[in-house]
Amino acid sequence: MHATVHPYRRPADAGTDPVAPDPVAAVLASAGDPAGSIVVEPGDGDGGTVVALWPDGVPVPDGTRSYLLSDRVDGLAAGRTPLFAQLTWVNGAGDAAVARAAERGGRERIHPAIQDVEGLVGVLVFRSADDRILVVGLATGLETHAEVRDRIARTPLLPGEDPALLPGADRIELGRVLRADVPAEVRS
């Protein structure tokens, strides 16, 4: 499974209705139907981000970076409907060593520290061919994301982890989930 990321702006006359217009249809009109999508809208309500989920082998829209699913974490609230999501972009420079360090830290240090956070539905980790990483965290409450960030900050580095290869997030977007249609092969 792979993902593409598509920002959108809500037309001025759309109000705050989360259903109309459909952000997925609007941003992917010429790309076809994804296997699933996660639509995140920050508090300002005038736009947001669509993370489109595609089966492997499906071509992505021209000029769009594709991220391959590389890891996932199921939280205590797995199977519940996520109400809030945090999108985190890491390694914007595309450094392969930073990507490897981030993935190791995620699997061996961060995942064990966060998997029992109350309200965590799940975390999907995607990596692009040019070594950029997108992390999609899904939760039932905003406080869950705060607890995850706090646990990550308190987690000591693993033996051999180089802090210079762990520069942190390039960008974070936190918002309410308008849609979380995650295909079964990603959830299991």
Side-chain angles (χ1 to χ4, degrees), residues 25-61:
V27 299
L28 297 173
S30 64
D33 292 326
S37 62
I38 300 166
V39 181
V40 181
E41 193 166 276
D44 62 16
D46 66 349
T49 303
V50 174
V51 178
L53 304 171
W54 307 90
D56 292 336
V58 172
V60 299

PDB file of all heavy atoms in Angstrom, residues 25-61:
ATOM      1  N   ALA A  25     -12.903  13.766  -3.572  1.00  0.00           N
ATOM      2  CA  ALA A  25     -13.316  13.899  -4.974  1.00  0.00           C
ATOM      3  C   ALA A  25     -12.713  15.148  -5.596  1.00  0.00           C
ATOM      4  O   ALA A  25     -12.284  15.135  -6.752  1.00  0.00           O
ATOM      5  CB  ALA A  25     -14.837  13.934  -5.063  1.00  0.00           C
ATOM      6  N   ALA A  26     -12.649  16.234  -4.827  1.00  0.00           N
ATOM      7  CA  ALA A  26     -12.141  17.488  -5.368  1.00  0.00           C
ATOM      8  C   ALA A  26     -10.656  17.412  -5.725  1.00  0.00           C
ATOM      9  O   ALA A  26     -10.254  17.856  -6.789  1.00  0.00           O
ATOM     10  CB  ALA A  26     -12.383  18.622  -4.366  1.00  0.00           C
ATOM     11  N   VAL A  27      -9.836  16.825  -4.852  1.00  0.00           N
ATOM     12  CA  VAL A  27      -8.384  16.819  -5.116  1.00  0.00           C
ATOM     13  C   VAL A  27      -7.938  15.656  -5.983  1.00  0.00           C
ATOM     14  O   VAL A  27      -6.855  15.697  -6.554  1.00  0.00           O
ATOM     15  CB  VAL A  27      -7.531  16.869  -3.824  1.00  0.00           C
ATOM     16  CG1 VAL A  27      -7.810  18.121  -3.039  1.00  0.00           C
ATOM     17  CG2 VAL A  27      -7.702  15.637  -2.980  1.00  0.00           C
ATOM     18  N   LEU A  28      -8.750  14.629  -6.083  1.00  0.00           N
ATOM     19  CA  LEU A  28      -8.343  13.462  -6.861  1.00  0.00           C
ATOM     20  C   LEU A  28      -9.235  13.234  -8.084  1.00  0.00           C
ATOM     21  O   LEU A  28      -9.295  12.128  -8.606  1.00  0.00           O
ATOM     22  CB  LEU A  28      -8.355  12.210  -5.970  1.00  0.00           C
ATOM     23  CG  LEU A  28      -7.369  12.238  -4.813  1.00  0.00           C
ATOM     24  CD1 LEU A  28      -7.580  11.040  -3.907  1.00  0.00           C
ATOM     25  CD2 LEU A  28      -5.949  12.286  -5.313  1.00  0.00           C
ATOM     26  N   ALA A  29      -9.897  14.271  -8.542  1.00  0.00           N
ATOM     27  CA  ALA A  29     -10.861  14.139  -9.638  1.00  0.00           C
ATOM     28  C   ALA A  29     -10.278  13.439 -10.855  1.00  0.00           C
ATOM     29  O   ALA A  29     -10.929  12.606 -11.481  1.00  0.00           O
ATOM     30  CB  ALA A  29     -11.399  15.508 -10.018  1.00  0.00           C
ATOM     31  N   SER A  30      -9.039  13.745 -11.202  1.00  0.00           N
ATOM     32  CA  SER A  30      -8.459  13.156 -12.415  1.00  0.00           C
ATOM     33  C   SER A  30      -7.570  11.946 -12.128  1.00  0.00           C
ATOM     34  O   SER A  30      -7.029  11.351 -13.046  1.00  0.00           O
ATOM     35  CB  SER A  30      -7.649  14.212 -13.162  1.00  0.00           C
ATOM     36  OG  SER A  30      -6.559  14.622 -12.356  1.00  0.00           O
ATOM     37  N   ALA A  31      -7.424  11.575 -10.859  1.00  0.00           N
ATOM     38  CA  ALA A  31      -6.480  10.517 -10.504  1.00  0.00           C
ATOM     39  C   ALA A  31      -7.127   9.153 -10.336  1.00  0.00           C
ATOM     40  O   ALA A  31      -6.435   8.159 -10.227  1.00  0.00           O
ATOM     41  CB  ALA A  31      -5.750  10.893  -9.218  1.00  0.00           C
ATOM     42  N   GLY A  32      -8.433   9.097 -10.276  1.00  0.00           N
ATOM     43  CA  GLY A  32      -9.091   7.821 -10.032  1.00  0.00           C
ATOM     44  C   GLY A  32      -9.474   7.694  -8.572  1.00  0.00           C
ATOM     45  O   GLY A  32      -9.293   8.607  -7.776  1.00  0.00           O
ATOM     46  N   ASP A  33     -10.006   6.540  -8.229  1.00  0.00           N
ATOM     47  CA  ASP A  33     -10.465   6.313  -6.860  1.00  0.00           C
ATOM     48  C   ASP A  33      -9.402   5.573  -6.060  1.00  0.00           C
ATOM     49  O   ASP A  33      -9.013   4.460  -6.416  1.00  0.00           O
ATOM     50  CB  ASP A  33     -11.749   5.480  -6.870  1.00  0.00           C
ATOM     51  CG  ASP A  33     -12.924   6.232  -7.449  1.00  0.00           C
ATOM     52  OD1 ASP A  33     -12.990   7.460  -7.246  1.00  0.00           O
ATOM     53  OD2 ASP A  33     -13.771   5.597  -8.106  1.00  0.00           O
ATOM     54  N   PRO A  34      -8.960   6.162  -4.952  1.00  0.00           N
ATOM     55  CA  PRO A  34      -8.006   5.454  -4.101  1.00  0.00           C
ATOM     56  C   PRO A  34      -8.708   4.305  -3.373  1.00  0.00           C
ATOM     57  O   PRO A  34      -9.934   4.252  -3.296  1.00  0.00           O
ATOM     58  CB  PRO A  34      -7.539   6.533  -3.124  1.00  0.00           C
ATOM     59  CG  PRO A  34      -8.666   7.505  -3.068  1.00  0.00           C
ATOM     60  CD  PRO A  34      -9.313   7.475  -4.430  1.00  0.00           C
ATOM     61  N   ALA A  35      -7.925   3.399  -2.807  1.00  0.00           N
ATOM     62  CA  ALA A  35      -8.470   2.289  -2.026  1.00  0.00           C
ATOM     63  C   ALA A  35      -9.014   2.778  -0.693  1.00  0.00           C
ATOM     64  O   ALA A  35      -9.841   2.120  -0.070  1.00  0.00           O
ATOM     65  CB  ALA A  35      -7.392   1.235  -1.794  1.00  0.00           C
ATOM     66  N   GLY A  36      -8.550   3.926  -0.259  1.00  0.00           N
ATOM     67  CA  GLY A  36      -8.996   4.522   0.990  1.00  0.00           C
ATOM     68  C   GLY A  36      -8.432   5.921   1.110  1.00  0.00           C
ATOM     69  O   GLY A  36      -7.641   6.360   0.269  1.00  0.00           O
ATOM     70  N   SER A  37      -8.827   6.611   2.164  1.00  0.00           N
ATOM     71  CA  SER A  37      -8.307   7.956   2.380  1.00  0.00           C
ATOM     72  C   SER A  37      -8.471   8.354   3.834  1.00  0.00           C
ATOM     73  O   SER A  37      -9.323   7.827   4.546  1.00  0.00           O
ATOM     74  CB  SER A  37      -9.017   8.970   1.476  1.00  0.00           C
ATOM     75  OG  SER A  37     -10.396   9.008   1.787  1.00  0.00           O
ATOM     76  N   ILE A  38      -7.627   9.284   4.231  1.00  0.00           N
ATOM     77  CA  ILE A  38      -7.719   9.904   5.553  1.00  0.00           C
ATOM     78  C   ILE A  38      -7.752  11.399   5.282  1.00  0.00           C
ATOM     79  O   ILE A  38      -6.839  11.938   4.651  1.00  0.00           O
ATOM     80  CB  ILE A  38      -6.517   9.526   6.435  1.00  0.00           C
ATOM     81  CG1 ILE A  38      -6.467   8.005   6.625  1.00  0.00           C
ATOM     82  CG2 ILE A  38      -6.596  10.237   7.781  1.00  0.00           C
ATOM     83  CD1 ILE A  38      -5.164   7.485   7.186  1.00  0.00           C
ATOM     84  N   VAL A  39      -8.811  12.056   5.725  1.00  0.00           N
ATOM     85  CA  VAL A  39      -8.962  13.489   5.503  1.00  0.00           C
ATOM     86  C   VAL A  39      -8.829  14.176   6.854  1.00  0.00           C
ATOM     87  O   VAL A  39      -9.577  13.894   7.783  1.00  0.00           O
ATOM     88  CB  VAL A  39     -10.322  13.823   4.851  1.00  0.00           C
ATOM     89  CG1 VAL A  39     -10.447  15.331   4.615  1.00  0.00           C
ATOM     90  CG2 VAL A  39     -10.487  13.051   3.544  1.00  0.00           C
ATOM     91  N   VAL A  40      -7.847  15.088   6.939  1.00  0.00           N
ATOM     92  CA  VAL A  40      -7.543  15.791   8.185  1.00  0.00           C
ATOM     93  C   VAL A  40      -7.755  17.276   7.955  1.00  0.00           C
ATOM     94  O   VAL A  40      -7.245  17.838   6.987  1.00  0.00           O
ATOM     95  CB  VAL A  40      -6.085  15.530   8.621  1.00  0.00           C
ATOM     96  CG1 VAL A  40      -5.774  16.236   9.929  1.00  0.00           C
ATOM     97  CG2 VAL A  40      -5.829  14.037   8.748  1.00  0.00           C
ATOM     98  N   GLU A  41      -8.498  17.900   8.877  1.00  0.00           N
ATOM     99  CA  GLU A  41      -8.761  19.328   8.762  1.00  0.00           C
ATOM    100  C   GLU A  41      -8.367  20.020  10.057  1.00  0.00           C
ATOM    101  O   GLU A  41      -8.948  19.745  11.105  1.00  0.00           O
ATOM    102  CB  GLU A  41     -10.238  19.559   8.455  1.00  0.00           C
ATOM    103  CG  GLU A  41     -10.531  20.971   8.019  1.00  0.00           C
ATOM    104  CD  GLU A  41     -11.907  21.077   7.410  1.00  0.00           C
ATOM    105  OE1 GLU A  41     -12.046  20.788   6.207  1.00  0.00           O
ATOM    106  OE2 GLU A  41     -12.843  21.444   8.154  1.00  0.00           O
ATOM    107  N   PRO A  42      -7.373  20.918   9.988  1.00  0.00           N
ATOM    108  CA  PRO A  42      -6.981  21.677  11.181  1.00  0.00           C
ATOM    109  C   PRO A  42      -8.114  22.577  11.664  1.00  0.00           C
ATOM    110  O   PRO A  42      -9.125  22.746  10.976  1.00  0.00           O
ATOM    111  CB  PRO A  42      -5.787  22.513  10.712  1.00  0.00           C
ATOM    112  CG  PRO A  42      -5.315  21.855   9.469  1.00  0.00           C
ATOM    113  CD  PRO A  42      -6.520  21.206   8.858  1.00  0.00           C
ATOM    114  N   GLY A  43      -7.929  23.190  12.797  1.00  0.00           N
ATOM    115  CA  GLY A  43      -8.970  23.981  13.436  1.00  0.00           C
ATOM    116  C   GLY A  43      -9.509  25.155  12.656  1.00  0.00           C
ATOM    117  O   GLY A  43     -10.636  25.564  12.881  1.00  0.00           O
ATOM    118  N   ASP A  44      -8.745  25.710  11.709  1.00  0.00           N
ATOM    119  CA  ASP A  44      -9.240  26.888  10.996  1.00  0.00           C
ATOM    120  C   ASP A  44     -10.381  26.553  10.048  1.00  0.00           C
ATOM    121  O   ASP A  44     -11.172  27.410   9.680  1.00  0.00           O
ATOM    122  CB  ASP A  44      -8.126  27.618  10.254  1.00  0.00           C
ATOM    123  CG  ASP A  44      -7.445  26.785   9.184  1.00  0.00           C
ATOM    124  OD1 ASP A  44      -7.993  25.736   8.775  1.00  0.00           O
ATOM    125  OD2 ASP A  44      -6.360  27.188   8.739  1.00  0.00           O
ATOM    126  N   GLY A  45     -10.493  25.299   9.609  1.00  0.00           N
ATOM    127  CA  GLY A  45     -11.624  24.836   8.837  1.00  0.00           C
ATOM    128  C   GLY A  45     -11.711  25.296   7.404  1.00  0.00           C
ATOM    129  O   GLY A  45     -12.682  25.026   6.733  1.00  0.00           O
ATOM    130  N   ASP A  46     -10.694  25.998   6.884  1.00  0.00           N
ATOM    131  CA  ASP A  46     -10.801  26.449   5.495  1.00  0.00           C
ATOM    132  C   ASP A  46     -10.022  25.574   4.530  1.00  0.00           C
ATOM    133  O   ASP A  46      -9.904  25.873   3.359  1.00  0.00           O
ATOM    134  CB  ASP A  46     -10.381  27.907   5.347  1.00  0.00           C
ATOM    135  CG  ASP A  46      -8.906  28.146   5.642  1.00  0.00           C
ATOM    136  OD1 ASP A  46      -8.246  27.222   6.153  1.00  0.00           O
ATOM    137  OD2 ASP A  46      -8.418  29.249   5.357  1.00  0.00           O
ATOM    138  N   GLY A  47      -9.525  24.479   5.006  1.00  0.00           N
ATOM    139  CA  GLY A  47      -8.807  23.539   4.155  1.00  0.00           C
ATOM    140  C   GLY A  47      -8.229  22.434   5.000  1.00  0.00           C
ATOM    141  O   GLY A  47      -8.458  22.370   6.201  1.00  0.00           O
ATOM    142  N   GLY A  48      -7.477  21.565   4.362  1.00  0.00           N
ATOM    143  CA  GLY A  48      -6.891  20.457   5.090  1.00  0.00           C
ATOM    144  C   GLY A  48      -6.046  19.608   4.177  1.00  0.00           C
ATOM    145  O   GLY A  48      -5.551  20.081   3.152  1.00  0.00           O
ATOM    146  N   THR A  49      -5.914  18.352   4.539  1.00  0.00           N
ATOM    147  CA  THR A  49      -5.050  17.435   3.809  1.00  0.00           C
ATOM    148  C   THR A  49      -5.758  16.106   3.592  1.00  0.00           C
ATOM    149  O   THR A  49      -6.363  15.564   4.525  1.00  0.00           O
ATOM    150  CB  THR A  49      -3.743  17.197   4.591  1.00  0.00           C
ATOM    151  OG1 THR A  49      -3.114  18.459   4.822  1.00  0.00           O
ATOM    152  CG2 THR A  49      -2.797  16.290   3.829  1.00  0.00           C
ATOM    153  N   VAL A  50      -5.659  15.599   2.369  1.00  0.00           N
ATOM    154  CA  VAL A  50      -6.145  14.263   2.044  1.00  0.00           C
ATOM    155  C   VAL A  50      -4.925  13.362   1.910  1.00  0.00           C
ATOM    156  O   VAL A  50      -4.017  13.657   1.125  1.00  0.00           O
ATOM    157  CB  VAL A  50      -6.941  14.243   0.719  1.00  0.00           C
ATOM    158  CG1 VAL A  50      -7.304  12.807   0.334  1.00  0.00           C
ATOM    159  CG2 VAL A  50      -8.180  15.116   0.811  1.00  0.00           C
ATOM    160  N   VAL A  51      -4.882  12.296   2.673  1.00  0.00           N
ATOM    161  CA  VAL A  51      -3.886  11.243   2.486  1.00  0.00           C
ATOM    162  C   VAL A  51      -4.624  10.129   1.756  1.00  0.00           C
ATOM    163  O   VAL A  51      -5.499   9.472   2.324  1.00  0.00           O
ATOM    164  CB  VAL A  51      -3.314  10.740   3.829  1.00  0.00           C
ATOM    165  CG1 VAL A  51      -2.322   9.597   3.588  1.00  0.00           C
ATOM    166  CG2 VAL A  51      -2.660  11.880   4.602  1.00  0.00           C
ATOM    167  N   ALA A  52      -4.318   9.980   0.464  1.00  0.00           N
ATOM    168  CA  ALA A  52      -4.966   8.959  -0.358  1.00  0.00           C
ATOM    169  C   ALA A  52      -4.156   7.677  -0.270  1.00  0.00           C
ATOM    170  O   ALA A  52      -2.922   7.705  -0.350  1.00  0.00           O
ATOM    171  CB  ALA A  52      -5.069   9.433  -1.805  1.00  0.00           C
ATOM    172  N   LEU A  53      -4.835   6.554  -0.091  1.00  0.00           N
ATOM    173  CA  LEU A  53      -4.191   5.250   0.054  1.00  0.00           C
ATOM    174  C   LEU A  53      -4.459   4.433  -1.208  1.00  0.00           C
ATOM    175  O   LEU A  53      -5.613   4.260  -1.605  1.00  0.00           O
ATOM    176  CB  LEU A  53      -4.725   4.549   1.293  1.00  0.00           C
ATOM    177  CG  LEU A  53      -4.566   5.347   2.594  1.00  0.00           C
ATOM    178  CD1 LEU A  53      -5.317   4.690   3.735  1.00  0.00           C
ATOM    179  CD2 LEU A  53      -3.101   5.520   2.938  1.00  0.00           C
ATOM    180  N   TRP A  54      -3.391   3.935  -1.817  1.00  0.00           N
ATOM    181  CA  TRP A  54      -3.460   3.245  -3.108  1.00  0.00           C
ATOM    182  C   TRP A  54      -2.868   1.846  -2.990  1.00  0.00           C
ATOM    183  O   TRP A  54      -1.844   1.665  -2.331  1.00  0.00           O
ATOM    184  CB  TRP A  54      -2.660   4.012  -4.154  1.00  0.00           C
ATOM    185  CG  TRP A  54      -3.018   5.451  -4.267  1.00  0.00           C
ATOM    186  CD1 TRP A  54      -2.461   6.498  -3.563  1.00  0.00           C
ATOM    187  CD2 TRP A  54      -3.991   6.038  -5.127  1.00  0.00           C
ATOM    188  NE1 TRP A  54      -3.038   7.677  -3.936  1.00  0.00           N
ATOM    189  CE2 TRP A  54      -3.977   7.430  -4.906  1.00  0.00           C
ATOM    190  CE3 TRP A  54      -4.874   5.516  -6.074  1.00  0.00           C
ATOM    191  CZ2 TRP A  54      -4.816   8.308  -5.580  1.00  0.00           C
ATOM    192  CZ3 TRP A  54      -5.703   6.385  -6.752  1.00  0.00           C
ATOM    193  CH2 TRP A  54      -5.677   7.766  -6.504  1.00  0.00           C
ATOM    194  N   PRO A  55      -3.472   0.864  -3.669  1.00  0.00           N
ATOM    195  CA  PRO A  55      -2.853  -0.466  -3.708  1.00  0.00           C
ATOM    196  C   PRO A  55      -1.517  -0.395  -4.452  1.00  0.00           C
ATOM    197  O   PRO A  55      -1.348   0.450  -5.333  1.00  0.00           O
ATOM    198  CB  PRO A  55      -3.855  -1.317  -4.494  1.00  0.00           C
ATOM    199  CG  PRO A  55      -5.099  -0.518  -4.592  1.00  0.00           C
ATOM    200  CD  PRO A  55      -4.735   0.917  -4.393  1.00  0.00           C
ATOM    201  N   ASP A  56      -0.602  -1.252  -4.093  1.00  0.00           N
ATOM    202  CA  ASP A  56       0.681  -1.291  -4.792  1.00  0.00           C
ATOM    203  C   ASP A  56       0.445  -1.535  -6.274  1.00  0.00           C
ATOM    204  O   ASP A  56      -0.449  -2.285  -6.656  1.00  0.00           O
ATOM    205  CB  ASP A  56       1.579  -2.388  -4.207  1.00  0.00           C
ATOM    206  CG  ASP A  56       2.022  -2.054  -2.788  1.00  0.00           C
ATOM    207  OD1 ASP A  56       2.034  -0.866  -2.426  1.00  0.00           O
ATOM    208  OD2 ASP A  56       2.343  -2.989  -2.041  1.00  0.00           O
ATOM    209  N   GLY A  57       1.241  -0.890  -7.095  1.00  0.00           N
ATOM    210  CA  GLY A  57       1.145  -1.066  -8.533  1.00  0.00           C
ATOM    211  C   GLY A  57       0.222  -0.087  -9.223  1.00  0.00           C
ATOM    212  O   GLY A  57       0.229   0.019 -10.438  1.00  0.00           O
ATOM    213  N   VAL A  58      -0.587   0.657  -8.460  1.00  0.00           N
ATOM    214  CA  VAL A  58      -1.462   1.660  -9.058  1.00  0.00           C
ATOM    215  C   VAL A  58      -0.650   2.931  -9.280  1.00  0.00           C
ATOM    216  O   VAL A  58       0.000   3.409  -8.354  1.00  0.00           O
ATOM    217  CB  VAL A  58      -2.679   1.949  -8.154  1.00  0.00           C
ATOM    218  CG1 VAL A  58      -3.484   3.128  -8.674  1.00  0.00           C
ATOM    219  CG2 VAL A  58      -3.541   0.718  -8.017  1.00  0.00           C
ATOM    220  N   PRO A  59      -0.646   3.478 -10.494  1.00  0.00           N
ATOM    221  CA  PRO A  59       0.130   4.694 -10.724  1.00  0.00           C
ATOM    222  C   PRO A  59      -0.450   5.871  -9.941  1.00  0.00           C
ATOM    223  O   PRO A  59      -1.666   5.989  -9.780  1.00  0.00           O
ATOM    224  CB  PRO A  59       0.011   4.924 -12.233  1.00  0.00           C
ATOM    225  CG  PRO A  59      -1.126   4.096 -12.694  1.00  0.00           C
ATOM    226  CD  PRO A  59      -1.337   3.008 -11.680  1.00  0.00           C
ATOM    227  N   VAL A  60       0.428   6.716  -9.442  1.00  0.00           N
ATOM    228  CA  VAL A  60      -0.005   7.888  -8.681  1.00  0.00           C
ATOM    229  C   VAL A  60      -0.170   9.073  -9.634  1.00  0.00           C
ATOM    230  O   VAL A  60       0.386   9.067 -10.732  1.00  0.00           O
ATOM    231  CB  VAL A  60       0.994   8.228  -7.553  1.00  0.00           C
ATOM    232  CG1 VAL A  60       1.104   7.087  -6.570  1.00  0.00           C
ATOM    233  CG2 VAL A  60       2.349   8.593  -8.104  1.00  0.00           C
ATOM    234  N   PRO A  61      -0.925  10.069  -9.227  1.00  0.00           N
ATOM    235  CA  PRO A  61      -1.088  11.245 -10.082  1.00  0.00           C
ATOM    236  C   PRO A  61       0.268  11.872 -10.429  1.00  0.00           C
ATOM    237  O   PRO A  61       1.190  11.877  -9.604  1.00  0.00           O
ATOM    238  CB  PRO A  61      -1.922  12.194  -9.220  1.00  0.00           C
ATOM    239  CG  PRO A  61      -2.623  11.305  -8.240  1.00  0.00           C
ATOM    240  CD  PRO A  61      -1.686  10.152  -8.000  1.00  0.00           C
TER     241      PRO A  61
END
